[in-house]
Amino acid sequence: MGALVTAEPPPDDVIAAAGLLRWRLELAPGGSRTLELRIGTDQAGPRELPPVPWAPAAAAAGDDPGVAPLLDTALDDLRTLLLRDPAEPADVHLVAGVPWRCALAPADALWAARMLLPLGTRLAAGTLRAVARTWPAAPAAGAPEPARLPGTLRDSGPHLPPAATGVEATLLFPAVLAEARRWGLPERDLDGLLPAAERCLAWLRAAADDRGFVPDPAPGGPYRCETQAHAHRAALLGAELLDVCGRPGAAEWREWAAALRERFRAGFWTEDVAGGRPAAALAPDGRPLTHLGSPAAHLLPTAADALVRAQANGDAGPAAAPPASADGGSLPAADSTPGLLDKAQTGQLARLLGGPALDSGWGLRSLGAAEPGFNPFGHRAGAVHVHETAVAVAGLFTAGYDKEAGALLRGLLGAAGHFGHHLPEMYAGDQRTAGGAPLPHPAACRPSAVAAAAAVHVLTALTGIAPDVPAGTVAARPPATAPLGAVQLTGWRLAGEPFAVRVSRLGLAVVEEAAPGLQLGS
């Protein structure tokens, strides 16, 4: 099946080999012209849409009037991005976005599947299998390490060379599989995908160089902070998979992750008069590159990280809720920073993410406004990326920094309202002003898989849902500040059964529906 593009008015020139359509337009000052492109398939008759691989009755409601349309519109957008895997039509995944990326992009597909786990594990299973099929059959001749997942290079802004999305996808794979297991992925799916996860871990072991960090692109690229965070999470969650499946090597991966934490906290943290910051990357010669941007949000802990730490400490269930702070939020307990940063560093990062340099009022800028090369329309030089804003919101809530998380969340909801709740992949990072609106980005996909999935991610973060279906527990630990007031999620999926949770204006959670046998953890 191919794509069929029609244009009105017809173009003056067509360069088919390059996929270019060209118009010659003359415009008077203040004039305008409209060009309409329609993209469809060359298949005769209507295309059969793939079945929706998530909870069809998922709904959200709350005091904030933007909650319900945010979810409803996101699910509508996601339905338009579903695609069957040509190699196995029973497996469905999401394409990256329209109009520019109408195909499987492994990193984007894995991010979207991960954020949509609260609606069921079928999409994650199909996505993981589809991504695994893209792997080279064997390492290329003379390759210094096992093959990784394929992926294109992605712009990284004015301070870093392009990043390899294949590196990101390879490190995401075992983490998504482990988190899907916690949400109730059937054992048969886990068994079939474990060899691919082990292959990812083999690549990680070979890619980490003498410094103990993972270059990106590998080999020879800079050491990006977010790549180390993905590697750390892959090691810990990969170790969990090896343990539960009776495979060797789990203890070694936990030791590797602990050593990476120690190296990262010493090597990536840079002190300054403002309290310090994580380096965005280390140059190949070890020099820290200290510009501040949204990739640092990946250093925040996730609910899965917190559960890993709780289990390592011998707790029976999910980690207990952190104590309340003076402003009504919550403060991280001494052992609740299981990510690459320690408690003090996590607190400083939270302040930076919530500060005016990064928080535009509409979401998190990809590059701080005070950094050289800042451009509010720059793809990685200042534009707001929705999925990284959602990562920051969830991570800040998990770490206990409700004030900063709530401000970013309200900014994201405000932006969604201006886009008719169809969140684009990114938009301009101009500072929010009274009566203003976020400016659309001309190169953004809309709909975008990761942007639409981000809506589910932030709503999940509002309820603090942290499941461990194999252990028979689910925690609901919402932020004490209830930043959007009361919230209710119904028709979601956990352990293959409907799941519903309600959070009051006082920040108290009540699980109203869950699979039989699941116990509510602390």
Side-chain angles (χ1 to χ4, degrees):
M1 184 175 66
L4 182 65
V5 179
T6 59
E8 180 62 38
D12 297 300
D13 294 310
V14 176
I15 306 176
L20 294 178
L21 306 178
R22 187 175 295 168
W23 287 263
R24 296 181 179 89
L25 303 176
E26 293 184 9
L27 292 178
S32 65
R33 288 284 301 275
T34 298
L35 303 177
E36 182 177 316
L37 296 180
R38 293 182 177 272
I39 304 174
T41 69
D42 59 4
Q43 185 179 36
R47 180 174 69 93
E48 180 185 355
L49 295 176
V52 174
W54 54 71
D63 289 341
D64 190 301
V67 167
L70 180 70
L71 178 65
D72 293 343
T73 307
L75 296 181
D76 286 342
D77 285 348
L78 289 164
R79 289 186 189 100
T80 68
L81 299 175
L82 286 171
L83 190 67
R84 295 180 186 271
D85 183 4
E88 185 54 64
D91 288 336
V92 177
H93 61 79
L94 291 164
V95 301
V98 173
W100 314 116
R101 305 171 68 202
C102 303
L104 174 65
D108 294 70
L110 289 170
W111 268 116
R114 185 184 202 176
M115 290 178 165
L116 292 171
L117 283 171
L119 303 185
T121 61
R122 286 177 55 204
L123 177 66
T127 300
L128 287 163
R129 286 192 288 264
V131 168
R133 292 186 193 106
T134 69
W135 222 318
E145 71 270 334
R148 60 164 171 80
L149 286 167
T152 59
L153 294 178
R154 179 168 54 201
D155 176 55
S156 295
H159 301 287
L160 287 169
T165 60
V167 170
E168 184 178 10
T170 304
L171 298 176
L172 279 173
F173 193 102
V176 176
L177 180 57
E179 291 186 31
R181 171 184 169 271
R182 290 187 181 173
W183 282 92
L185 183 75
E187 187 174 343
R188 63 181 181 277
D189 292 322
L190 176 64
D191 292 342
L193 289 163
L194 184 63
E198 290 181 305
R199 193 172 179 183
C200 292
L201 293 174
W203 178 85
L204 172 56
R205 187 179 299 280
D209 64 14
D210 295 341
R211 298 175 187 269
F213 298 129
V214 180
D216 180 5
Y223 308 98
R224 303 170 196 271
C225 69
E226 68 272 26
T227 301
Q228 313 318 308
H230 300 328
H232 179 256
R233 195 163 287 122
L236 287 178
L237 294 179
E240 180 179 295
L241 290 173
L242 296 176
D243 260 346
V244 299
C245 295
R247 302 291 184 97
E252 290 82 356
W253 277 115
R254 292 190 179 96
E255 291 172 2
W256 187 89
L260 178 60
R261 281 196 299 275
E262 183 176 350
R263 288 190 298 270
F264 188 91
R265 293 172 182 181
F268 269 77
W269 191 261
T270 61
E271 296 293 345
D272 57 36
V273 295
R277 63 172 61 184
L282 299 182
D285 61 5
R287 174 175 46 90
L289 306 174
T290 59
H291 59 278
L292 187 64
S294 60
H298 295 284
L299 299 175
L300 294 166
T302 68
D305 296 334
L307 188 53
V308 166
R309 175 57 60 89
Q311 293 169 336
N313 289 344
D315 298 341
S325 69
D327 66 357
S330 51
L331 291 175
D335 64 347
S336 65
T337 52
L340 284 179
L341 300 179
D342 63 26
K343 178 182 176 181
Q345 292 168 346
T346 300
Q348 174 63 5
L349 175 59
R351 287 184 283 274
L352 293 170
L353 293 174
L358 282 180
D359 184 359
S360 70
W362 300 116
L364 196 64
R365 294 185 177 101
S366 53
L367 183 66
E371 303 295 334
F374 170 74
N375 173 4
F377 279 94
H379 175 59
R380 286 285 168 181
V384 172
H385 287 255
V386 170
H387 101 277
E388 282 190 332
T389 300
V391 167
V393 168
L396 288 165
F397 277 142
T398 298
Y401 295 95
D402 298 0
K403 178 181 177 181
E404 293 82 358
L408 286 170
L409 174 58
R410 286 187 291 271
L412 193 62
L413 276 171
H418 284 285
F419 289 111
H421 296 96
H422 294 277
L423 279 168
E425 175 189 9
M426 58 183 168
Y427 43 86
D430 288 305
Q431 187 62 41
R432 184 174 186 171
T433 58
L439 297 175
H441 195 291
C445 285
R446 182 181 178 214
S448 157
V450 291
V456 175
H457 197 54
V458 296
L459 293 176
T460 304
L462 276 175
T463 64
I465 302 169
D468 189 354
V469 169
T473 65
V474 56
R477 302 168 51 223
T481 52
L484 298 183
V487 175
Q488 185 177 30
L489 307 181
T490 58
W492 294 37
R493 306 289 288 185
L494 180 59
E497 300 289 339
F499 182 82
V501 61
R502 174 171 49 85
V503 178
S504 73
R505 296 186 181 97
L506 299 177
L508 301 176
V510 176
V511 174
E512 298 181 320
E513 185 177 18
L518 280 181
Q519 295 183 350
L520 183 62
S522 57

